[in-house]
Amino acid sequence: MQINPKEGKFYVILLSVLFLTSLSFNFLALKYLVYAYNKFSITRLDPLGRQFKDKFNFEDKSYKFVILGDSIAYNWKLDDSLNLGIPSQTSEQIRIRSDYYRDKLHGSTLIIFAGGNDVKSLALSYEERKWSEKFKKNLEKIIENHQANFDKILVATITPVYDVPFVYKPFYGQKVKNTRKLFNETLLKLVADIKEAKPKNNKIQILNTEEILTKGKCKKDCSVDGIHLSKKGYKLLEEELNLLNYTNQ
């Protein structure tokens, strides 16, 4: 069968477009896989985050705020605070650091951000209920480690996941939203149980990030990438601290 020149030109253009599209997609996929592999390898090589030297060598004094946790904690530039956030850490890693910090930290208010990376790590798993129990035990131990040395402990819920870049969409669908909901319910119940066991102990409180951000009419502008908070998001959290009168203590 003979192909006329016009049809031949069309097929050449079509195949060229498909080839370039495939090449671009494979390049992006490779770039993302290399990034993910390096991130995974660093976590294995340095599970405690010792590369962040300032998180282990800080002045021994009483702080107004200590922010302990993952990248949500790490990115919060709160005045008069000691920031002990390390990106990508799970609640297990944060709990291990908490054990190390136990007798070294003291101050007015401890803010805990944990669980977001647990949820992310379970994006392709169906054992979220098993790991939510592990998350509960980690959080319980973190609170136990520090409640004697702080006037207040604020336990932050896992922040909402907004619209995310295309490369993340396979991992941040309804499954992650459901897992985040389960982990937040676990967190809320843990704090409620602690308060019920000791009704007069008003030291441990919830920093409900979803309520705060929803009240602030947050959409994509409260996040820089669909996952981490923007300056507006942190500003809303700080306004909540003002309302709770923590910044004036």
Side-chain angles (χ1 to χ4, degrees), residues 54-69 81-85 94 97-112 142 144-151 153:
D54 60 318
K55 310 301 179 184
F56 295 89
N57 298 295
F58 47 82
E59 189 178 352
D60 183 9
K61 67 173 190 177
S62 179
Y63 292 89
K64 190 170 186 178
F65 293 104
V66 174
I67 310 171
L68 174 63
S81 69
L82 171 65
N83 189 301
L84 296 177
I94 296 165
R97 283 199 293 130
S98 169
D99 291 344
Y100 170 82
Y101 295 143
R102 180 170 48 213
D103 300 322
K104 304 176 187 295
L105 289 180
H106 46 97
S108 178
T109 303
L110 173 68
I111 307 173
I112 303 167
I142 294 169
E144 179 187 317
N145 280 343
H146 304 293
Q147 60 181 341
N149 293 331
F150 284 88
D151 300 325
I153 294 179

Side-chain angles (χ1 to χ4, degrees), residues 5 10 18 41 63 77 124 129 136 151 156-157 210-211:
F10 169 76
L18 290 174
S41 297
Y63 292 89
K77 310 306 179 187
L124 299 178
R129 292 200 173 275
K136 176 184 175 183
D151 300 325
T157 59
E210 185 151 20
E211 282 187 4

Side-chain angles (χ1 to χ4, degrees), residues 150-182:
F150 284 88
D151 300 325
K152 294 285 183 183
I153 294 179
L154 287 178
V155 185
T157 59
I158 301 169
T159 56
V161 175
Y162 297 96
D163 190 29
V164 297
F166 175 76
V167 293
Y168 291 120
K169 283 191 183 291
F171 306 100
Y172 289 91
Q174 192 60 43
K175 172 71 164 53
V176 164
K177 289 182 181 179
N178 292 341
T179 305
R180 184 180 67 85
K181 184 172 181 283
L182 171 65

